[in-house]
Amino acid sequence: MSLKIKSCCFRSLRKLLPLALALALLPACRGEEAQDDSLRIGVALYSQDDTFISTVAQNLERLAQEEESRIGQKITLLVSDSRSNQTTQMDQVDRFLNRGCDVLCVNLVDRTAAAVIVDKAEAEGVPVIFFNRQPVSEDIQRWDQVYYVGASAPESGTLQGQLVLEAWMDNREQWDRSGDGVLQYVMLEGEPGHQDSLLRTEYSIKALTDAGTEVERLARDTANWNRAQAAARVGQWLEEFGEQIEVILSNNDDMALGAIDALGETGRPMEDWPLIVGVDATAPALEAVEKGQLYGTVFNDSRGQAQAMIDLALALYEGEDPARAVDLEESHYVWLPYRKVTRESLGELRTD
Ligand code: GAL
């Protein structure tokens, strides 16, 4: 495909309506508009209501636009929102393929659906970049044009556990309210079965116990990555356990913000709140860190993930070796590092 300088034609679909309508509004892909030399990337999101995922989508749009001006390759993003429905996402993937997209970026609803998507894409010769929800390695190995862009779930758990450990060691009198030397906690978990839920839950506690901290779990429950659900859970736990809760570990920031909402509702002064930690470093979470409501979070690099996807997509489209465009591990994986964030380190964080 030739490279020509053309103007950008992005259509931001965020906040636009149901997918059927959204896709109907989108520009046609290769099949319907064969002469167009645009690189067309079909981006299938599991849910655009998810704060972190919508940040990745915004970054994809912005970076594609920047890349387009920089190298003069027209890039068109087609974005779909499956609203947490795998059947809907399958239809969206079919639609992207029918429209001749050059590359697919897929944020699976259900990671076990990866094999079917790989087979469909391979039949059309369209590379697939999965992101955020990691398929099992057998599905990634199914075809050499399948990639995964993401961050290591155990790493995020470990860093979150370290945040808690540091606070616990530095200021035991403040956080060990009962004075029994045992860290009493509750755990807000993301979607059941999601790697980030399972592994953040496991590794955050492992970081504490490996360092010799005695812990006691008072309660755990899923709040599906969701702020309102987390506020409801924590509201109940505060009634049940009151001041016994010393630490609230949350698998992501939205749920940590829900915990803050619930604590705010009680009218309890902030200096008497438990220590709260999240993951993602979303904009509202960083504000909460600044205000001292959230002790810390773990930066999940949405921009880095979006950049890796754009770089990979361009390399694949232009027939270049993807390993020259991104840091590729085991020929299929691009891993972005996580970082701890507290009030002290806020200034070092680049969230653009
Ligand atoms: C995680 C992120 C969560 C949520 C989830 C969706 O990596 O921390 O906030 O976005 O992905 O799969």
Side-chain angles (χ1 to χ4, degrees):
M1 287 182 216
S2 64
L3 305 185
K4 280 193 200 145
I5 299 182
K6 282 200 177 177
S7 64
C8 172
C9 72
F10 291 106
R11 299 186 184 198
S12 169
L13 293 178
R14 250 184 356 273
K15 311 213 163 89
L16 278 189
L17 322 152
L19 178 82
L21 173 60
L23 282 179
L25 294 172
L26 283 164
C29 272
R30 191 172 53 213
E32 294 165 24
E33 204 182 299
Q35 314 82 334
D36 192 328
D37 64 355
S38 171
L39 157 58
R40 296 177 180 83
I41 308 177
V43 181
L45 306 177
Y46 98 91
S47 167
Q48 213 154 12
D49 289 341
D50 180 301
T51 307
F52 177 72
I53 294 302
S54 76
T55 314
V56 175
Q58 284 162 31
N59 277 310
L60 275 172
E61 288 181 9
R62 193 160 51 89
L63 290 168
Q65 210 158 5
E66 278 172 26
E67 209 59 29
E68 182 171 86
S69 323
R70 197 176 67 80
I71 60 168
Q73 166 62 55
K74 185 176 168 188
I75 304 173
T76 305
L77 290 190
L78 290 83
V79 183
S80 69
D81 176 359
S82 76
R83 296 168 184 259
S84 297
N85 184 320
Q86 188 58 61
T87 312
T88 305
Q89 186 170 69
M90 278 305 178
D91 292 344
Q92 292 165 345
V93 165
D94 286 342
R95 185 103 186 234
F96 285 152
L97 291 171
N98 287 338
R99 291 184 157 211
C101 283
D102 302 294
V103 178
L104 298 183
C105 292
V106 182
N107 172 216
L108 289 163
V109 177
D110 172 0
R111 67 197 290 241
T112 62
V116 179
I117 292 178
V118 171
D119 291 350
K120 283 171 188 278
E122 185 179 5
E124 300 293 327
V126 175
V128 189
I129 305 169
F130 291 105
F131 66 102
N132 174 258
R133 291 163 173 235
Q134 189 186 346
V136 292
S137 72
E138 290 74 18
D139 292 344
I140 295 279
Q141 308 296 336
R142 227 171 152 83
W143 182 35
D144 60 1
Q145 302 261 52
V146 180
Y147 302 89
Y148 178 70
V149 171
S152 149
E155 184 189 3
S156 54
T158 302
L159 293 177
Q160 190 186 54
Q162 286 173 4
L163 281 171
V164 176
L165 182 68
E166 284 154 18
W168 185 253
M169 301 301 247
D170 288 353
N171 207 343
R172 179 74 67 89
E173 304 80 65
Q174 181 183 353
W175 302 118
D176 185 12
R177 286 177 194 289
S178 58
D180 64 355
V182 180
L183 185 154
Q184 273 89 16
Y185 73 94
V186 293
M187 179 73 73
L188 282 167
E189 297 173 2
E191 275 174 273
H194 192 302
Q195 291 115 307
D196 288 345
S197 309
L198 299 169
L199 296 167
R200 286 176 188 166
T201 297
E202 177 185 346
Y203 280 81
S204 55
I205 297 306
K206 187 171 182 307
L208 287 159
T209 52
D210 281 357
T213 311
E214 205 182 325
V215 301
E216 180 189 356
R217 190 181 70 200
L218 299 175
R220 54 148 293 273
D221 206 349
T222 176
N224 292 304
W225 305 123
N226 181 282
R227 182 169 180 161
Q229 289 184 35
R233 298 281 171 285
V234 174
Q236 287 158 6
W237 292 338
L238 287 170
E239 279 181 21
E240 192 175 344
F241 302 107
E243 304 247 327
Q244 284 180 63
I245 303 172
E246 295 170 338
V247 176
I248 302 179
L249 290 119
S250 173
N251 287 171
N252 80 343
D253 283 345
D254 268 4
M255 297 188 296
L257 291 167
I260 290 169
D261 295 340
L263 278 153
E265 282 289 306
T266 63
R268 202 198 281 185
M270 211 174 78
E271 51 280 13
D272 294 338
W273 287 12
L275 181 135
I276 308 169
V277 284
V279 177
D280 281 341
T282 60
L286 294 177
E287 270 175 40
V289 172
E290 176 89 64
K291 287 186 199 152
Q293 298 170 319
L294 184 63
Y295 175 78
T297 182
V298 180
F299 175 59
N300 195 358
D301 190 355
S302 60
R303 185 185 198 277
Q305 292 175 31
Q307 183 75 61
M309 284 190 269
I310 297 286
D311 291 348
L312 252 180
L314 274 165
L316 292 164
Y317 179 67
E318 286 162 14
E320 288 169 3
D321 178 2
R324 298 182 64 144
V326 291
D327 210 351
L328 211 53
E329 285 186 31
E330 298 170 71
S331 311
H332 293 274
Y333 294 90
V334 183
W335 297 111
L336 278 295
Y338 281 107
R339 263 170 56 195
K340 287 185 276 190
V341 185
T342 57
R343 207 170 180 185
E344 288 66 48
S345 60
L346 268 181
E348 299 158 22
L349 197 63
R350 183 212 67 195
T351 52
D352 55 332

